[in-house]
Amino acid sequence: YIEDFLDIWSDYKTPEKSYRDVVGDTEPLREGATTQATQKKILDYMCDEHKKYTPTSKMLFDRCPLDNLAYTFWAYDKGKVDEDFVSESVETVRESMKNLDIIFFFHLYLNINQ
């Protein structure tokens, strides 16, 4: 989807790296495997990355801190992070949202029965 957006609005750019590059293959991200340390590393990276740009930078990000917060809530429900971390994350995300103008949400639905 990002490539399609950039094809139409070529004056926008994306960062060279994403949170996936920071976490790498050594830390669990798939199939519900995460840790408090991993969630913090991702959130800190996202927030720091967003602060690098001004409102006129025309940057498009693959994910935002709100994505991290949703996964942190899931991780809390599964006993992978503690309540203090969730509270800290909420405040961090609340502050970081001041750096964003708009959030696009794309949901890909696959019907494998057809």
Side-chain angles (χ1 to χ4, degrees):
Y1 297 114
I2 288 178
E3 292 79 17
D4 295 334
F5 182 100
L6 295 173
D7 284 344
I8 297 168
W9 291 284
S10 59
D11 54 333
Y12 281 80
K13 306 291 180 228
T14 60
E16 290 182 24
K17 291 184 178 184
S18 78
Y19 74 91
R20 291 175 194 90
D21 297 313
V22 172
V23 175
D25 294 332
T26 60
E27 296 186 48
L29 289 178
R30 300 246 179 244
E31 300 172 10
T34 192
T35 66
Q36 191 162 300
T38 299
Q39 288 303 105
K40 177 144 180 52
K41 183 186 269 189
I42 292 169
L43 181 58
D44 289 347
Y45 174 77
M46 287 177 166
C47 292
D48 290 345
E49 190 67 16
H50 291 177
K51 289 178 188 175
K52 290 180 183 179
Y53 305 100
T54 68
T56 60
S57 295
K58 294 188 176 184
M59 293 301 294
L60 185 65
F61 298 94
D62 181 15
R63 298 277 192 274
C64 77
L66 197 54
D67 292 286
N68 176 270
L69 185 59
Y71 199 44
T72 295
F73 283 133
W74 177 89
Y76 174 74
D77 185 57
K78 301 301 180 192
K80 297 174 181 280
V81 302
D82 64 38
E83 189 173 340
D84 289 339
F85 180 73
V86 172
S87 295
E88 177 186 313
S89 296
V90 167
E91 290 306 314
T92 301
V93 170
R94 180 179 287 137
E95 185 64 28
S96 75
M97 297 307 287
K98 295 175 183 176
N99 296 320
L100 301 177
D101 293 322
I102 190 167
I103 298 173
F104 293 102
F105 175 78
F106 294 99
H107 178 74
L108 179 61
Y109 175 76
L110 299 175
N111 186 345
I112 59 174
N113 296 322
Q114 291 183 348

